Amino acid sequence: MNRQKALKCIVEQAHKGDLVFPANVAASLKLQQTLDDPDCSIDMASKLILNEPLLAAKVVAIANSAAYNRGGDVTNVKAAINRLGFKTLLAIVSSLIVRQLAGSSKDKSIQAKTQKLWEHTAQVAALSQVIARRITRLDPDTAMFAGIVHEVGNFYLLSQAEEFPSLLEPDTFGVGEVDDDLPEFEDTLVDLESSEAIIGRAVIQKLCLPGAVVEALESMWYGLRAMPPETLGDTLLLANELAATKSPLDFNSYAESERFTSEIDFVVGDGTLNSILEESDEELRTLTSALLA
């Protein structure tokens, strides 16, 4: 079964609402819902986060990253939540859910692609946070959240890669061509871009994402980036282009763009994009590292 046939099967599952998630995702979604409750106190949130040691470590690490540390290191979860706020805390919980979407395959090639996709995701999330704060003047926490969830469709595809190994391989024919064995393909729209959108929408329904983030993801799938960036979608697209690690499942977008990534620049006030990124290097590095932990 080639990649387009495999995508067709998963797209059909998405249309029917039959996507299958790993068991631990349900528990994390419940945690997310509890933290999103206006009645959830910091004490309650701390107790819930402490039940997940890896999540607790990540919350403290992000609170101590250069992007958030404005008054010395914190050493416990409650202090970290006080510094970060619930919006950032929910973004961090979402990062756990996104990683869980890929499952826990023992296949080395799937593990490698999952790790690379998470490295790409962490870089895009950190870049989105800095670009929103320094350039587009949007809420940086919302931008980081959008970066964390922007690859949800591909993480789900990785969870299906053992059943459909061809998902990890580029198509053997060009984008826009149709497999002769699948005459109905034009009606089901299962090229790379549309399948990512269809599967991504099915996944984000489970995540109950804010409308602004959903709109930014739609821009990611179909939109054109403004230069300089203005919207959350622009911020996400630019961060995606600037990320040093590219998505291992994007077989089409980077063939030409890699040559021009280093040339992306524009004036921002008294500086430029590249000068701002250089000034923010420590923030980007420590935030990316904390997300990867």
Side-chain angles (χ1 to χ4, degrees):
M1 180 184 291
N2 66 27
R3 190 165 190 267
Q4 287 220 6
K5 289 181 182 178
L7 284 172
K8 178 179 182 293
C9 291
I10 297 174
V11 166
E12 288 177 347
Q13 291 173 357
H15 279 307
K16 295 175 183 177
D18 291 338
L19 297 184
V20 179
F21 296 95
N24 53 357
V25 171
S28 297
L29 285 171
K30 186 175 181 180
L31 171 61
Q32 182 189 54
Q33 291 168 359
T34 303
L35 293 173
D36 200 29
D37 188 325
D39 293 329
C40 183
S41 66
I42 289 181
D43 285 337
M44 181 186 297
S46 299
K47 290 177 182 177
L48 292 170
I49 297 300
L50 285 168
N51 287 331
E52 299 282 348
L54 293 178
L55 181 60
K58 181 174 291 189
V59 168
V60 173
I62 290 176
N64 287 327
S65 70
Y68 290 95
N69 190 345
R70 298 290 185 268
D73 288 351
V74 296
T75 58
N76 61 77
V77 169
K78 185 175 180 179
I81 295 173
N82 266 314
R83 172 175 289 175
L84 295 171
F86 274 75
K87 185 182 292 185
T88 303
L89 182 62
L90 284 167
I92 297 169
V93 173
S94 294
S95 75
L96 173 67
I97 296 171
V98 169
R99 294 193 77 168
Q100 289 172 338
L101 284 174
S104 54
S105 173
K106 295 181 180 179
D107 184 293
K108 296 297 184 183
S109 63
I110 296 175
Q111 289 177 359
K113 282 185 165 44
T114 299
Q115 180 60 29
K116 187 172 182 181
L117 185 59
W118 183 244
E119 289 173 5
H120 166 74
T121 297
Q123 290 171 14
V124 171
L127 283 161
S128 294
Q129 201 265 9
V130 168
I131 292 169
R133 182 164 46 82
R134 299 288 305 274
I135 297 171
T136 53
R137 303 298 180 184
L138 300 172
D139 179 40
D141 294 327
T142 300
M144 183 175 74
F145 183 90
I148 285 170
V149 300
H150 86 283
E151 289 282 0
V152 287
N154 279 334
F155 274 103
Y156 182 79
L157 288 180
L158 284 171
S159 75
Q160 303 299 301
E162 286 190 350
E163 182 176 355
F164 303 104
S166 60
L167 290 172
L168 304 184
E169 303 168 0
D171 294 320
T172 56
F173 45 91
V175 176
E177 295 180 27
V178 178
D179 190 332
D180 292 338
D181 294 333
L182 296 170
E184 73 276 23
F185 252 48
E186 290 182 283
D187 296 328
T188 55
L189 296 174
V190 288
D191 56 82
L192 175 65
E193 290 80 7
S194 61
S195 64
E196 181 182 2
I198 292 167
I199 296 165
R201 288 190 194 101
V203 175
I204 63 178
Q205 283 182 352
K206 297 284 187 181
L207 299 182
C208 300
L209 301 185
V213 173
V214 174
E215 184 178 344
L217 293 180
E218 291 286 349
S219 296
M220 187 80 198
W221 294 323
Y222 293 118
L224 296 175
R225 170 179 49 75
M227 185 72 86
E230 299 174 354
T231 67
L232 182 58
D234 294 336
T235 300
L236 192 55
L237 282 161
L238 179 58
N240 187 64
E241 289 183 42
L242 292 172
T245 301
K246 307 304 181 184
S247 166
L249 296 187
D250 192 338
F251 300 112
N252 299 310
S253 299
Y254 298 120
E256 293 297 323
S257 66
E258 280 186 331
R259 293 185 300 155
F260 306 112
T261 299
S262 62
E263 300 174 11
I264 298 175
D265 201 11
F266 47 80
V267 175
V268 183
D270 295 330
T272 66
L273 168 66
N274 286 335
S275 66
I276 289 171
L277 293 179
E278 287 175 5
E279 292 169 8
S280 305
D281 180 69
E282 184 181 1
E283 295 176 20
L284 289 168
R285 180 174 48 78
T286 60
L287 184 52
T288 299
S289 177
L291 286 168
L292 285 171

